[in-house]
Amino acid sequence: MNNLVRVTKDNDVTIITIDNPPVNALSPGVPEGISAAIDAANSDPGVKAAVVIGAGRTFVAGADIKEFIKMTSSGTRRATLLPLLLHIEDSGKPVVMAIHGQAFGGGLELAMAGHYRVASPTAQVGQPEVNLGIIPGAGGTQRLPRLIGVAKAVEMCAGGKPISAREAAALGLTDQLIEGDLLLGAVAFAREIAGKPAPKTRERTQKLGTSVENAPIFAAARDTACKKQRGLKAPLAAIDAIEAGIGSSFDEGCQAEAKLFTECLFSDQSKALIHVFFGEREVAKIPDVPRETPAIPVNRVAVVGSGTMGGGIAMVFANAGIPVLLKDVDEAALELGMGKIRKNYASSVQRGRFTQAFVDERLKLITPVLNYDAFSDVDMVVEAVFEGMALKKTVFADLDRVCRRGAILATNTSTLNIDEIAAATSRPEAVIGTHFFSPANVMRLLEIVRGKKSGKEVIATCMQLSKKLGKIGVLVGNCRGFVGNRMFGPYRREAQFLIEEGAEVEAVDQALAEFGMAMGPMATGDLAGLDVGWRIRKEYRHLEKPGIRQPFAEDRLCEMGRYGQKTGRGWYRYDESRRPSNDPEVSALVRKWSADAGIPQRQISAEEIVDRCIYALVNEGARILEEGYALRAVDIDIIYINGYGFPAYRGGPMWHADTVGLQKVYQRICEFHQQHGELWEPAPLLRRLVETGKTFAEFDKEQVAAA
Ligand code: T1G
């Protein structure tokens, strides 16, 4: 026993409590403590059975992921959990696992080594390892199919999604659901089964079936993994590990699993996904806004503007159970907005994401209004009107007049200056940017834009609220386009230049899709509407530096009314169900325009396409870091993965640059600088990191240390 694992007794039942806050990860000392506790129970003649339970909010959230970073950076392989789990399984006294909160990864593997499992109805169990680019490494791919069958085990290990305790009970993964006090219920259960044969999971092979029976299951699972988890290696490795166990002994299966686990763990994909795991938690930490900064209660909100964004934002609040007023200028606009909301909810029910009952409840929380009468009661307003400064200032002046003091006044602008908007009010400290991404009720990213005078409580509130809304909130500074869109500019600029220099539209998109982007830059433009960027470019034309090359093709397409999916034509042509097809007319038009502009045409490789687009992101990201508009390089990574479809298994643009090697990235950017001029001036921070042999990850560590 040690301070991570406590042993107590309830008469003839030993209670082993894992107490390693915050999530009882199986950090060094925990497996050893459990092993010693099992020995103590077995050597105590008065004991008939043992119960293993987690202290605090959860059972066990898995192995300690931090240990994996130590292993891959030192190249040393730590002892696995396998011996401990065999030790539990071979215990002379039956061991009951009592699950509440989460039994994830190594936590579920631990639970499956027990002879029985009981759970609270609200518990969740799962093998989410593939989300970290690895697979279960402590027998999970061998014990899980023994308990629930091959098909469901493949789904859980390759998909990585947890299941509820109720579903687990229905599958036979848990033996009893305990309403009320879990420990009491588990001890009573242990007394019931004490003295009965203690089934060893590894010996339960009835549900394994044969290779022939399972072959179609594995084939379908591989197909699904390639489609739904495009580019990710771990799901396929998880399927291989389960398949390797069919027709083999338990030990042979575990050896195959261990080999695949190690290959995954030392892969770039896993290092990137573990970076993302901790990154999604790191972005919540704001150096000058401590975690204990008081948050303003947000129990009632209002959204101004019921267009696509406004409607989506209203759904986000309603989905979180927060009543929301949705305001627009007239009945027609409101009816249109509410119609879109109802349609979105209907398709969520159709796709099984929500139940009709859930949707009915949510719709009751959205109140369409035509005036500001009830705005004095709200704790927060999100403005989502048309992207024009004059209109936004008018709305904020109104909000300043009608909202109570202390209410948060947020704007969903994606490009406009937060300080200028705030200046339209008498309370700039209450003004902040909450930049949702379309569709707002789906996209996880929330760029929280700090104005010069945004108050710390307002920032803290929005950061905490983002988690409640199921979003990942990332705090950014108030520069043009903030972080995401500011970087997206150079990325799409290079994509257009490549097309003007001879690349086909579909070749550019395909190269970046193969790199792992969820969608190519041209198709993304067509989806968002080419006119959105066109209008902004026209508004900022006066800021363009003379003599600097600007892409022209997209503006020309817009002048022809080709706005993308919404007009059936953009870079691609779209049929009535918005399926894209290449449009030879666009190729011909661009060839002509380029010839008129004297741009020589050439063959362009997929490698150049990827380098120019992705390194444009990296270079601009380095500028943003240097200027302090992003707190850390990892913040940029989390923004790009959750808002712009950057592949998580590459860790985000900044982590990707570190993985490629900053020296190599810098050299390539210098080449582009040579070839394409000033737009490719290397960012000073990038040059400095290369000169000092450092990485963006080390830059972050220094930032954290300096804060
Ligand atoms: N290891 C280390 N730290 C962890 C951790 C873990 N497994 N899980 C969470 N943390 C830290 C996290 O970084 C944060 O720290 C704090 O705990 C609270 O987490 C052998 C190989 C359980 C659903 O993938 O999904 O087992 O920021 O903010 O929102 O086969 O944490 O406060 O400093 O996320 O309530 C498999 C990972 C591991 C589950 C709770 N397990 N964790 O969510 O809190 S691999 C997982 C989660 C493995 C075996 C394999 C979530 C959670 P800080 P949080 P939360």
Side-chain angles (χ1 to χ4, degrees):
M1 287 59 79
N2 53 31
N3 58 359
L4 298 172
V5 178
R6 282 197 308 278
V7 174
T8 52
K9 271 177 73 176
D10 179 332
N11 296 317
D12 53 358
V13 175
T14 291
I15 298 164
I16 301 169
T17 306
I18 302 167
D19 192 358
N20 181 25
V23 292
N24 293 333
L26 298 166
S27 315
V30 174
E32 295 78 0
I34 298 171
S35 184
I38 294 288
D39 292 344
N42 278 299
S43 56
D44 182 336
V47 166
K48 290 197 176 67
V51 167
V52 177
I53 193 163
R57 63 181 167 158
T58 190
F59 177 66
V60 173
D64 187 332
I65 305 169
K66 291 196 179 79
E67 292 299 309
F68 294 147
I69 298 176
K70 291 179 194 157
M71 277 157 71
T72 51
S73 46
S74 64
T76 53
R77 180 88 172 73
R78 290 262 157 78
T80 82
L81 290 169
L82 278 170
L84 165 68
L85 304 188
L86 291 171
H87 189 56
I88 293 171
E89 218 165 30
D90 293 339
S91 160
K93 313 261 173 83
V95 179
V96 176
M97 298 289 175
I99 302 168
H100 74 296
Q102 294 89 17
F104 282 178
L108 179 55
E109 290 168 307
L110 173 69
M112 292 191 288
H115 304 104
Y116 297 94
R117 284 150 293 282
V118 298
S120 305
T122 54
Q124 285 188 307
V125 299
Q127 304 280 182
E129 285 89 343
V130 288
N131 304 328
L132 301 168
I134 52 179
I135 67 170
T141 64
Q142 307 305 308
R143 286 195 173 89
L144 191 58
R146 281 169 166 74
L147 290 174
I148 66 174
V150 170
K152 191 65 188 178
V154 164
E155 184 194 310
M156 287 178 68
C157 291
K161 293 204 171 41
I163 62 172
S164 69
R166 288 188 193 286
E167 189 180 353
L171 289 163
L173 184 50
T174 54
D175 301 284
Q176 195 173 84
L177 287 177
I178 308 275
E179 303 284 353
D181 187 313
L182 175 66
L183 182 56
L184 276 184
V187 169
F189 181 92
R191 270 202 193 99
E192 261 173 52
I193 52 91
K196 290 191 187 135
K200 297 182 180 183
T201 304
R202 71 175 185 271
E203 293 167 1
R204 299 168 66 168
T205 56
Q206 310 83 316
K207 291 187 179 177
L208 287 183
T210 65
S211 309
V212 178
E213 285 164 359
N214 292 313
I217 295 172
F218 294 129
R222 289 190 173 97
D223 194 41
T224 305
C226 291
K227 285 202 188 93
K228 292 209 174 142
Q229 297 152 300
R230 189 164 58 87
L232 203 53
K233 299 200 177 86
L236 300 169
I239 298 166
D240 293 348
I242 295 177
E243 187 171 32
I246 306 300
S248 321
S249 71
F250 179 77
D251 294 347
E252 286 161 345
C254 284
Q255 279 157 29
E257 175 195 89
K259 184 169 174 299
L260 289 157
F261 171 81
T262 306
E263 281 163 17
C264 287
L265 183 64
F266 285 84
S267 69
D268 284 347
Q269 286 201 354
S270 176
K271 292 171 190 163
L273 287 162
I274 289 175
H275 161 74
V276 173
F277 175 83
F278 287 114
E280 288 185 351
R281 282 130 187 103
E282 188 68 18
V283 293
K285 298 166 186 162
I286 315 296
D288 68 333
V289 182
R291 214 185 262 260
E292 54 284 352
T293 304
I296 299 159
V298 176
N299 302 316
R300 198 172 162 72
V301 303
V303 175
V304 181
S306 67
T308 307
M309 289 309 293
I313 295 167
M315 290 172 74
V316 171
F317 282 102
N319 292 350
I322 300 174
V324 50
L325 302 173
L326 181 59
K327 178 185 181 301
D328 215 314
V329 287
D330 60 38
E331 277 300 345
L334 263 184
E335 199 29 57
L336 192 63
M338 287 306 294
K340 275 195 204 136
I341 290 174
R342 280 190 285 272
K343 193 161 160 262
N344 280 336
Y345 272 132
S347 73
S348 299
V349 172
Q350 239 161 26
R351 278 181 287 108
R353 183 170 170 223
F354 296 143
T355 62
Q356 191 54 50
F358 176 89
V359 164
D360 297 343
E361 282 308 307
R362 304 302 127 174
L363 278 169
K364 284 192 202 127
L365 292 173
I366 304 177
T367 310
V369 296
L370 284 172
N371 53 49
Y372 289 116
D373 294 1
F375 273 51
S376 53
D377 298 337
V378 301
D379 307 309
M380 178 174 184
V381 182
V382 180
E383 162 278 314
V385 301
F386 180 75
E387 192 74 345
M389 184 55 89
L391 177 59
K392 295 212 188 260
K393 284 183 170 177
T394 309
V395 171
F396 272 75
D398 289 341
L399 295 177
D400 192 27
R401 187 169 43 77
V402 297
C403 292
R404 66 171 177 74
R405 288 283 147 182
I408 295 174
L409 308 182
T411 170
N412 181 55
T413 181
S414 56
T415 56
L416 299 175
N417 185 329
I418 305 292
D419 296 328
E420 197 176 335
I421 294 171
T425 74
S426 61
R427 50 174 117 175
E429 74 287 353
V431 177
I432 193 164
T434 50
H435 178 207
F436 289 81
F437 286 72
S438 181
N441 56 310
V442 176
M443 296 297 281
R444 285 181 76 205
L445 179 65
L446 180 57
E447 227 181 10
I448 296 169
V449 189
R450 176 181 200 158
K452 278 205 191 68
K453 298 190 178 150
S454 301
K456 293 193 174 171
E457 292 80 15
V458 171
I459 294 169
T461 303
C462 291
M463 294 301 293
Q464 288 169 28
L465 183 65
S466 59
K467 196 163 184 177
K468 183 172 177 188
L469 300 178
K471 303 291 181 195
I472 300 209
V474 182
L475 188 70
V476 298
N478 178 33
C479 57
R480 194 173 135 203
F482 313 135
V483 170
N485 284 347
R486 176 174 160 181
M487 291 168 65
F488 211 54
Y491 169 79
R492 292 198 77 249
R493 175 198 73 209
E494 288 305 311
Q496 285 183 66
F497 281 165
L498 288 155
I499 291 169
E500 292 167 5
E501 293 162 24
E504 289 301 332
V505 173
E506 56 276 15
V508 170
D509 277 354
Q510 194 182 340
L512 285 153
E514 277 163 16
F515 171 82
M517 297 299 285
M519 188 185 265
M522 312 338 281
T524 305
D526 277 357
L527 175 69
L530 302 179
D531 55 321
V532 179
W534 183 45
R535 242 187 287 280
I536 295 166
R537 283 191 296 277
K538 285 198 283 182
E539 185 151 351
Y540 285 100
R541 195 74 78 198
H542 61 288
L543 294 176
E544 281 171 9
K545 250 175 150 181
I548 298 292
R549 180 184 174 192
Q550 297 292 341
F552 55 72
E554 194 159 281
D555 290 355
R556 295 278 188 87
L557 292 176
C558 288
E559 284 150 18
M560 299 166 64
R562 298 179 70 116
Y563 297 164
Q565 289 194 11
K566 60 180 144 184
T567 57
R569 289 170 180 243
W571 285 103
Y572 294 94
R573 208 176 273 192
Y574 297 87
D575 63 19
E576 50 290 340
S577 43
R578 296 200 172 202
R579 260 193 305 275
S581 58
N582 302 342
D583 189 342
E585 188 191 335
V586 169
S587 283
L589 282 168
V590 175
R591 295 291 144 263
K592 178 179 174 322
W593 293 332
S594 296
D596 297 348
I599 299 175
Q601 302 299 290
R602 58 190 177 87
Q603 290 301 312
I604 297 174
S605 69
E607 188 210 350
E608 179 183 347
I609 292 169
V610 170
D611 287 357
R612 275 176 69 179
C613 294
I614 300 298
Y615 293 166
L617 282 178
V618 174
N619 206 28
E620 194 63 25
R623 287 184 203 292
I624 287 171
L625 275 176
E626 178 128 46
E627 295 162 20
Y629 290 113
L631 288 169
R632 296 155 289 238
V634 69
D635 291 45
I636 295 176
D637 290 335
I638 299 303
I639 284 173
Y640 259 74
I641 288 165
N642 291 287
Y644 295 82
F646 196 97
Y649 62 78
R650 290 188 188 275
M654 311 315 275
W655 179 269
H656 172 67
D658 278 354
T659 306
V660 171
L662 291 193
Q663 175 67 46
K664 189 165 169 223
V665 173
Y666 178 68
Q667 231 150 11
R668 193 71 164 126
I669 288 176
C670 291
E671 279 169 34
F672 292 148
H673 187 210
Q674 285 287 319
Q675 295 160 11
H676 305 290
E678 180 175 337
L679 287 170
W680 275 102
E681 166 85 32
L685 172 64
L686 179 59
R687 181 181 293 121
R688 235 186 7 265
L689 290 175
V690 169
E691 284 161 359
T692 54
K694 292 200 173 129
T695 63
F696 286 119
E698 284 158 342
F699 170 84
D700 278 2
K701 287 202 182 93
E702 286 167 8
Q703 295 292 94
V704 172

